[in-house]
Amino acid sequence: MSTHAPGYSADKDAVLKRLRRIEGQVRGLQRMVEEDTYCIDVLTQVSAATKALESVALSLLDEHLSHCVQDAIATGEGAEAKIAEASAAIARLVRS
């Protein structure tokens, strides 16, 4: 684990705002199911929440590449490990 600030530090408030909005979407999904909302309408909202999470994930990945990986390459400290982490994260995103 790195002791450096994460790449998203400068945008932390924006990331948290997006995650809170997604949290609200998920609560809305729960409410839809509790109220026996039509299946397709629930699925449409699930898709929207999924896309929102994917968007956050891609943003975090971009920050990791442009901050953490770039810094590791510039300083020569653990660049291969940072690239391997990024590659593993991309693989997880693609499989999900």
Side-chain angles (χ1 to χ4, degrees):
M1 194 71 135
S2 176
T3 58
H4 300 290
Y8 61 83
S9 290
D11 297 322
K12 184 176 180 177
D13 289 339
V15 172
L16 287 170
K17 182 177 180 180
R18 291 172 74 184
L19 289 172
R20 287 185 188 109
R21 189 175 309 129
I22 294 165
E23 181 182 21
Q25 285 180 286
V26 173
R27 279 195 305 272
L29 282 165
Q30 292 170 340
R31 195 168 35 257
M32 290 175 80
V33 170
E34 288 170 353
E35 296 171 357
D36 296 321
T37 302
Y38 184 59
C39 301
I40 296 302
D41 294 338
V42 176
L43 288 170
T44 299
Q45 292 307 311
V46 167
S47 179
T50 300
K51 294 297 179 195
L53 277 171
E54 288 172 352
S55 177
V56 171
L58 289 173
S59 175
L60 291 170
L61 179 60
D62 184 56
E63 291 295 336
H64 179 68
L65 292 171
S66 64
H67 179 268
C68 304
V69 173
Q70 187 174 355
D71 184 55
I73 291 169
T75 62
E77 296 179 17
E80 288 182 19
K82 293 291 183 192
I83 292 169
E85 286 175 345
S87 181
I90 291 166
R92 285 191 302 273
L93 287 171
V94 170
R95 283 191 302 262
S96 64

